[in-house]
Amino acid sequence: MFNTDWHIKIHEHYLSNFEKTGVFVLDDCFATADLLALQSESGLIDYQQAHLTNGERLSNIRGDSIRWIDENCTIGTHYLTSIEKLGEFFNHTFFAGIQRAEAHYACYTAGFGYDWHTDNPKGRDERVISAVFYLNDNWTDADGGHIHVVDKTEKTQILTPRANRLVVFDSNLLHKVAITHKTRFSIATWLRRDTGIW
């Protein structure tokens, strides 16, 4: 499972674009069977309401429910292993100093999003690369839930949460999830420079 070869998948123009803007997008990221397995697991797990870094639940700012991927998420752990190899790719290419990956399934129900934020709380820099992998089939622009990322050139990139798409960006970039108009599933992912405790 999840045998994506990142050295083949990520062509030179992705790297030059990432260096310039801090963002790139990979479509058809994994094999269809892997996508289906993640879709199935994401619909079967128990979600909990997400909170801000200070522990508050403010649904007008952040309206998702989440489930951290751990050893009890059989398919999710395969995803994490592949993402860790992506971290090795970034270390080889950009000397990023990435040590590990973490991720959680995320579910946004209609009427909710996540307001503007960066993925490193003030004074912290452990998260190097952020990524979001999308799980919903047949998503249209009318369904909302787009990710907005203010890139390094100060342009706002607005990206549709299309199934099997991986959006990769610098963790210090400002971004938000627009209000979704139907239930939206994804995997929020971070490549970190700290070793953590497993």
Side-chain angles (χ1 to χ4, degrees):
M1 299 182 74
F2 298 91
N3 293 320
T4 296
D5 186 328
W6 300 108
H7 291 271
I8 295 174
K9 178 70 74 172
I10 302 174
H11 303 293
E12 183 61 36
H13 73 274
Y14 289 115
L15 297 177
S16 59
N17 193 49
F18 183 76
E19 199 164 21
K20 177 183 176 183
T21 68
V23 182
F24 71 84
V25 178
L26 285 178
D27 285 319
D28 302 316
C29 191
F30 297 116
T32 300
D34 296 335
L35 171 63
L36 290 171
L38 286 170
Q39 288 173 326
S40 178
E41 187 169 80
S42 72
L44 295 173
I45 58 178
D46 293 323
Y47 288 86
Q48 297 181 338
Q49 290 185 332
H51 296 80
L52 303 178
T53 53
N54 63 4
E56 290 182 277
R57 170 69 180 181
L58 297 175
S59 58
N60 61 320
I61 296 175
R62 180 178 185 178
D64 57 329
S65 296
I66 67 171
R67 170 64 159 86
W68 284 97
I69 292 175
D70 58 22
E71 65 276 4
N72 296 311
C73 300
T74 305
I75 309 303
T77 54
H78 288 294
Y79 168 83
L80 262 184
T81 297
S82 182
I83 291 297
E84 287 171 351
K85 291 177 182 175
L86 176 61
E88 293 171 6
F89 172 83
F90 274 108
N91 286 343
H92 176 77
T93 309
F94 292 114
F95 306 100
I98 292 163
Q99 298 289 321
R100 65 183 180 103
E102 64 179 359
H104 64 63
Y105 287 106
C107 175
Y108 290 84
T109 54
F112 291 97
Y114 193 161
D115 208 355
W116 291 106
H117 65 285
T118 66
D119 285 342
N120 279 314
K122 188 175 181 180
R124 304 279 293 277
D125 67 351
E126 292 92 345
R127 289 172 169 170
V128 182
I129 304 291
S130 299
V132 186
F133 182 71
Y134 296 107
L135 297 168
N136 286 76
D137 289 320
N138 304 315
W139 200 269
T140 69
D141 285 342
D143 295 324
H146 297 66
I147 188 169
H148 297 228
V149 184
V150 181
D151 69 23
K152 290 180 178 179
T153 70
E154 299 187 355
K155 175 185 176 183
T156 300
Q157 298 194 32
I158 302 174
L159 303 164
T160 303
R162 187 176 298 152
N164 212 6
R165 166 175 282 181
L166 186 72
V167 174
V168 180
F169 56 97
D170 185 309
S171 294
N172 289 315
L173 293 179
L174 197 64
H175 60 284
K176 74 171 184 177
V177 176
I179 298 296
T180 185
H181 304 306
K182 68 179 186 181
T183 302
R184 172 191 180 279
F185 291 96
S186 61
I187 303 176
T189 309
W190 297 274
L191 296 171
R192 302 177 60 110
R193 60 169 49 99
D194 58 332
T195 56
I197 300 173
W198 291 92

